[in-house]
Amino acid sequence: MNTISKQIERLAEGLLKIEPEVGDNTGRYSMFNDGGVECEVGEFLYGLVRMTKPEHVLETGTHKGVGAAYIGMALKANGNGGLTTLEFLDPHIETARRLIRKLNLDMQVQVEKADATTYIPNHRVLYDIIFLDTEPNIRFGELIRYFPYLKEGGYIFIHDTPRTLCQGNVNPDWPNLPSWPFGDIPHEMRELVKSGKLRPFHFNNPRGLIGFYKIHNEDVKW
């Protein structure tokens, strides 16, 4: 079956190779590397972008460009829209940009060197989809930071999150970080969910994924 993962592997011409997913013991999941999204998560993002036809997408934590490749390929197939992806490590930026060039996605994907905790989006831009995949201990804070830049009816995702969101986890090597590695859920994030402004939904992939839907004023009132 010629999946989008197979297409990306072929077009990358040796830069990426599909391998078994390190977090899976069933043999049903695959990856390009253990720092990017699983292939199946990438295929989900590809399908979501193809279905929703977003104008603006934001990703934090480019790493080597795997997630950006899936999103960029979908935007290219759509014939519209762009992805801004943020990375602060120069070696990763260079590798990701090389991959984006190889996939001929320069028109769809902009790799920016930036710190996701301080990056300020263009005030005229609201994102349809935001995908958070930086260091775990800053991702909850990123959700709070970027919520105002998410369109009504948009989606924001945090990768690597089990159903528990690691609440209560203890790592003796990191005694000062409660609920390792993400930290305790911030009050602001809890309030966004409790108030109904964000509606969470979980996925059962090996590394975990949680999505949030930002309510739209035209949604039915339950």
Side-chain angles (χ1 to χ4, degrees), residues 57-59 62 68 72 75 81-87 93 96-97 100 105-113 119 127:
V57 183
L58 176 68
E59 177 190 43
T62 311
L75 292 170
L83 165 68
T84 299
T85 179
L86 310 180
E87 176 59 55
I93 293 171
R97 286 176 175 168
I100 294 307
L105 297 176
D106 296 277
M107 296 296 293
Q108 288 77 31
V109 179
Q110 180 180 359
V111 182
E112 289 197 21
K113 181 175 182 179
Y119 178 77
Y127 297 102

Side-chain angles (χ1 to χ4, degrees), residues 5 8-9 12 14-24 29-42 59 61-70 87 91-93 95-97 99 103 131 133 139 159-160 205-207:
S5 297
I8 289 173
E9 181 183 46
L15 294 182
L16 295 175
K17 184 178 185 303
I18 297 175
E19 302 174 353
E21 161 58 30
V22 292
D24 173 47
Y29 290 86
S30 53
M31 67 176 189
F32 285 118
N33 57 56
D34 60 4
V37 298
E38 308 96 308
C39 290
E40 289 74 14
V41 172
E59 177 190 43
T62 311
H63 191 245
K64 298 182 180 181
V66 173
Y70 283 102
E87 176 59 55
H92 288 340
I93 293 171
T95 300
R97 286 176 175 168
L99 175 63
L103 298 177
F131 192 79
D133 203 12
R139 290 183 205 173
H159 192 218
D160 302 313
N205 53 300
R207 301 185 209 171

Side-chain angles (χ1 to χ4, degrees), residues 136-152:
N137 62 306
I138 64 174
R139 290 183 205 173
F140 290 165
E142 288 177 19
L143 181 142
I144 297 165
R145 177 178 181 78
Y146 292 113
F147 172 79
Y149 298 97
L150 182 65
K151 282 184 181 178
E152 289 186 358

Side-chain angles (χ1 to χ4, degrees), residues 186-198:
H187 171 76
E188 297 92 335
M189 182 172 165
R190 288 186 182 276
E191 285 304 309
L192 287 172
V193 174
K194 287 182 177 180
S195 67
K197 294 178 181 178
L198 283 180

